[in-house]
Amino acid sequence: MADTSTATVDKIVGLAAAGVAAIVAQKVVGLVWKASAGHRPPKPEDDGDNAVAEIIAAAAITGAVMAIARVLAARGASRVTARLESR
């Protein structure tokens, strides 16, 4: 029974950590993009004045950073719950 509750807590903590990491990653990508390109990254609701290459680059960079942040957050949350369980 303890394994099930631990797995549930691990999933909940991992989900929360991944969500926070995704928000932070999105903000970081936006800030870095603005610093390097001079404007915010293109969004889907933008009119269409952005080059296709810029849209593809923004999507690829954002997706990669978000995926890495979520994985690292989930792994960190798993380690934290494992440490708390061992106490």
Side-chain angles (χ1 to χ4, degrees), residues 79-87:
R79 281 190 223 117
V80 167
T81 55
R83 286 182 186 162
L84 291 175
E85 181 186 278
S86 67
R87 289 183 177 189

Side-chain angles (χ1 to χ4, degrees), residues 4-87:
T4 304
S5 68
T6 301
T8 303
V9 170
D10 189 35
K11 286 180 183 180
I12 291 170
V13 172
L15 182 63
V20 171
I23 292 169
V24 170
Q26 182 71 30
K27 296 290 182 185
V28 168
V29 168
L31 290 172
V32 171
W33 189 280
K34 187 170 183 175
S36 65
H39 58 86
R40 295 180 352 176
K43 292 186 177 183
E45 60 269 6
D46 290 347
D47 286 339
D49 53 346
N50 297 311
V52 174
E54 185 177 25
I55 293 168
I56 292 170
I61 292 167
T62 302
V65 170
M66 297 271 282
I68 291 167
R70 288 179 59 208
V71 167
L72 293 177
R75 287 182 181 181
S78 180
R79 281 190 223 117
V80 167
T81 55
R83 286 182 186 162
L84 291 175
E85 181 186 278
S86 67
R87 289 183 177 189

